[in-house]
Amino acid sequence: MSFKCTCSCERYGEVLKTLPQHEVDEIIEEDGQVDMYCDYCGTHYVYDAVDIAAIRKGGADGESNDIIY
Ligand SMILES: [Zn+2]
């Protein structure tokens, strides 16, 4: 594949912030996580309640983030 997608976990975090909070909360309550799917490259980005709390606070600061870049 010559096409390279520029999506990222952070980018989808930005998308998550644009969603209504109550909708995100409902998904977390039902599934325990939010699964964002990139149509272009097929990558799944999964956010749990901790991730979403961090996103709403203003993004990951690295302290309580278990994602390794
Ligand atoms: Zn992508």
Side-chain angles (χ1 to χ4, degrees):
M1 280 175 59
S2 57
F3 173 75
K4 192 176 180 191
C5 186
T6 58
C7 72
S8 70
C9 188
E10 285 176 5
R11 184 162 169 169
Y12 276 87
E14 292 296 312
V15 176
L16 253 181
K17 274 201 284 192
T18 69
L19 300 176
Q21 287 202 7
H22 68 272
E23 283 189 17
V24 176
D25 289 340
E26 277 178 22
I27 297 168
I28 290 290
E29 274 182 34
E30 286 179 17
D31 300 336
Q33 62 189 29
V34 178
D35 189 343
M36 305 285 283
Y37 175 77
C38 179
D39 288 330
Y40 300 104
C41 66
T43 302
H44 284 269
Y45 294 99
V46 179
Y47 303 86
D48 62 19
V50 175
D51 295 325
I52 287 165
I55 288 166
R56 285 175 181 167
K57 270 199 313 186
D61 55 17
E63 283 182 30
S64 58
N65 199 331
D66 57 2
I67 297 168
I68 298 163
Y69 295 102

